[in-house]
Amino acid sequence: MPYTVDFKNVSTVGLESSPVADALAGLRANEARYYKNKYDHDFTTTPAEDDPETLQYITNILSAERNLVIASKPLEVSSFEVDGLRMAYVFYESGLSINVMYGLEEGGKRAVGFKLSDGMEVPEELASSFKFARQKSKLAGTIRGSYFVIKGQYN
């Protein structure tokens, strides 16, 4: 069942099994606030098992671009188009959030972003390849993030 993320009253709905559920919920709310303020878009998530296409889309890009396989269980996904960008998210039980930003126009911005919830360790599969910068968030505490540019074509 889809869940429209409320960034004013942060909830762990759908994320309860995460050992950092509160921080992950704050991270998800931080994303929801961004899309609402910048694009007037309501950020909605779906249980990962209810939207295998979005999960497979992200998994395929990670595998093809960087030979990455995320060990943690995917809890929720989100997929939408806004301002010429196809956005896809997956929130993992470990507290990791991955987003794919894919510009629909030729030559548009295309990247994969990683965000780590406050209190989680850097996942082993990312530790040797990525450096994480820190940013503060009222909703999510300290977020550590990294990214890479997508080189291939994915529709």
Side-chain angles (χ1 to χ4, degrees), residues 85-125:
L85 299 171
R86 178 179 180 193
M87 300 299 303
Y89 278 80
V90 61
F91 296 91
Y92 291 93
E93 192 170 50
S94 65
L96 172 66
S97 167
I98 297 178
N99 72 77
V100 172
M101 175 185 70
Y102 196 86
L104 297 173
E105 287 187 24
E106 195 61 41
K109 292 181 181 180
R110 296 175 178 168
V112 172
F114 303 99
K115 290 186 179 171
L116 309 178
S117 294
D118 206 1
M120 75 171 284
E121 295 297 320
V122 176
E124 188 176 311
E125 55 271 35

Side-chain angles (χ1 to χ4, degrees), residues 45-116:
T45 60
T46 305
E49 64 268 11
D50 293 351
D51 186 0
E53 295 84 17
T54 297
L55 183 59
Q56 191 61 49
Y57 172 72
I58 294 170
T59 302
N60 286 344
I61 291 172
L62 292 173
S63 178
E65 293 283 325
R66 293 294 178 102
N67 201 26
L68 282 173
V69 176
I70 304 302
S72 183
K73 176 184 174 186
L75 297 178
E76 290 189 326
V77 296
S78 182
S79 182
F80 55 94
E81 287 184 18
V82 64
D83 199 33
L85 299 171
R86 178 179 180 193
M87 300 299 303
Y89 278 80
V90 61
F91 296 91
Y92 291 93
E93 192 170 50
S94 65
L96 172 66
S97 167
I98 297 178
N99 72 77
V100 172
M101 175 185 70
Y102 196 86
L104 297 173
E105 287 187 24
E106 195 61 41
K109 292 181 181 180
R110 296 175 178 168
V112 172
F114 303 99
K115 290 186 179 171
L116 309 178

Side-chain angles (χ1 to χ4, degrees), residues 6-25:
D6 183 350
F7 57 88
K8 292 183 177 147
N9 300 299
V10 179
S11 169
T12 60
V13 167
L15 308 174
E16 298 90 351
S17 66
S18 172
V20 292
D22 290 336
L24 183 56

